Amino acid sequence: MLLKNIRIYIIEKLNKSVFAKNVLLIGGGVVFAQSIQLIFSPILTRLYTPEQFGVLSIYLSLISVMTNICTLKYEMAILIPKQKKSAIALTYISFIILLISCMVMILVLGISQNIINNIFGNQYLHGLSFAIPLGTFLVGTYQILSYFAVREQQYSILAKTKINQSFTQVIFQLLMGFFYLKPLSLVAGDIAGRIGGIWSLFNLLRKEMRKTKISFLSIKRLIIRFRHYPLFTSVSSFINSLGVQLPSLLFTIIYGVNIGGYFSLVQRVLGVPISVISQSVSQVYLGELTSYLKSEGKNKNIKSLFVSTALKLFSLGVIPSLILIVFGPDLFGVFFGAHWRTAGEFIRPLSLMFLVQFVVLPLSQTLIILERQKIQLIWDISRFIIVCSGFYAVSMLKLEVEISIIIYSLFMTIAYIILFILSYKTITDIQRKHINAAN
């Protein structure tokens, strides 16, 4: 009887809330996609060493950082224009900038390959000079197409692409691992997965592109109109990504590729699902927020949308975080092999940071949509300085890796709480202005 009542309650809520339906649609695709990776992770950790996961971690960190600058963030502007023609033109702009950036990246990495190998001290990194630009292009392409799909509210297609990505990635990594095609098999599988997730999104855009003719004059006008995205948002996002990815790189530089591998497994099992689920909620949240801002009658609800989304995310993430704090090392030892228990020890101090990150990440684009890029940029720069200073002190004092992780987790938790407060204050001020203007 209780289960029946719960089922009826959920159905009623979903029928009343388009937002909830969209979150469930994308979230369901994300959960299924991540389930594929989690189910096969115990096999992958027995096929590949921590060192090989460390190489994958370096590759993922670098493409994550570079993707945030290679489009100059013009793809974020795709959501804003009322006319679809302008949105398609912005898509063109984003692709052109991405392609040019990746070509430049190939030249730079080719010249500086020996320097990169010396910094990370690993013989396998020479193969990444081509993989990093290719991975960056694929991630950038997916981001551009995703923003266009969000604009068109094609959430079901987005969900399918996430499943395709995970399935293709895991299959490639397993096959190459079984046939000993190492050490870059994990990287090759990631590239294959990203290709597998792009096609259906590209078909959506191609249909619209056939109907629309874009002039050079309109492209120029849009580049100028949305110039604050490359001037502020791209720089802020680049620094933001550095703040997120730099710890993985610095753990590898300071403590070796093996420690980088342990840290990467934590990211794979906990950090990546949190990031992807948060991104899925964020896509729906941004769609709702921009819809509210365009509709005068809904402006008064933007604060409640912000708060309710935060509370739902917290209630969803708090129990898994507590479980990992108590049982993390044992769970890692059982599921991934005894030699991965060290990664489970890392999860305990990181759980609080991941919980706060899980709540704040989907809401972190609020400042961008509300055109408060300067506030976001100041926060990103401050966090970047804190991270660099913390790791510099760790390196100079030669602290143990466990102490370094505790310090990192504490600093990041405080930083994300500050970002949440800044976003809340901004959205409260905007709503107050709308209410006063209406009166």
Side-chain angles (χ1 to χ4, degrees), residues 106-281:
I106 291 174
L107 294 175
V108 173
L109 288 176
I111 295 172
S112 59
Q113 184 62 57
N114 291 332
I115 298 174
I116 295 173
N117 290 345
N118 291 334
I119 291 174
F120 292 101
N122 189 276
Q123 58 180 325
Y124 303 134
L125 294 180
H126 66 275
L128 296 184
S129 58
F130 177 74
I132 291 172
L134 177 57
T136 301
F137 178 78
L138 293 173
V139 174
T141 298
Y142 185 80
Q143 283 186 182
I144 294 167
L145 296 174
S146 294
Y147 272 99
F148 186 80
V150 169
R151 177 188 174 85
E152 298 298 301
Q153 297 186 329
Q154 296 291 334
Y155 301 115
S156 61
I157 294 179
L158 281 173
K160 290 176 183 177
T161 61
K162 295 178 189 299
I163 296 172
N164 290 340
Q165 281 184 336
S166 289
F167 184 77
T168 307
Q169 175 186 320
V170 167
I171 292 299
F172 267 77
Q173 290 173 340
L174 286 174
L175 289 175
M176 297 180 81
F178 279 125
F179 289 104
Y180 298 98
L181 301 174
K182 302 173 183 179
L184 296 179
S185 302
L186 291 170
V187 173
D190 179 82
I191 290 173
R194 297 188 189 282
I195 294 173
I198 286 174
W199 186 248
S200 56
L201 285 176
F202 180 74
N203 283 335
L204 173 66
L205 177 63
R206 186 173 59 177
K207 294 176 183 177
E208 298 296 337
M209 290 171 67
R210 287 176 178 175
K211 307 175 188 176
T212 309
K213 292 184 179 180
I214 306 298
S215 66
F216 176 77
L217 184 62
S218 64
I219 289 177
K220 181 180 177 181
R221 177 178 55 81
L222 289 167
I223 289 175
I224 295 172
R225 177 187 171 188
F226 294 104
R227 63 188 179 277
H228 55 279
Y229 281 92
L231 291 175
F232 296 107
T233 308
S234 63
V235 176
S236 176
S237 297
F238 180 72
I239 297 173
N240 181 288
S241 184
L242 271 179
V244 173
Q245 301 300 331
L246 197 60
S248 180
L249 295 172
L250 291 177
F251 276 126
T252 302
I253 293 171
I254 297 172
Y255 297 105
V257 180
N258 277 350
I259 294 298
Y262 291 132
F263 192 80
S264 74
L265 183 63
V266 174
Q267 294 278 36
R268 182 186 184 90
V269 174
L270 189 60
V272 171
I274 285 176
S275 177
V276 175
I277 293 172
S278 296
Q279 184 180 20
S280 300
V281 177

Side-chain angles (χ1 to χ4, degrees), residues 251 286 295:
F251 276 126
L286 289 178
S295 174

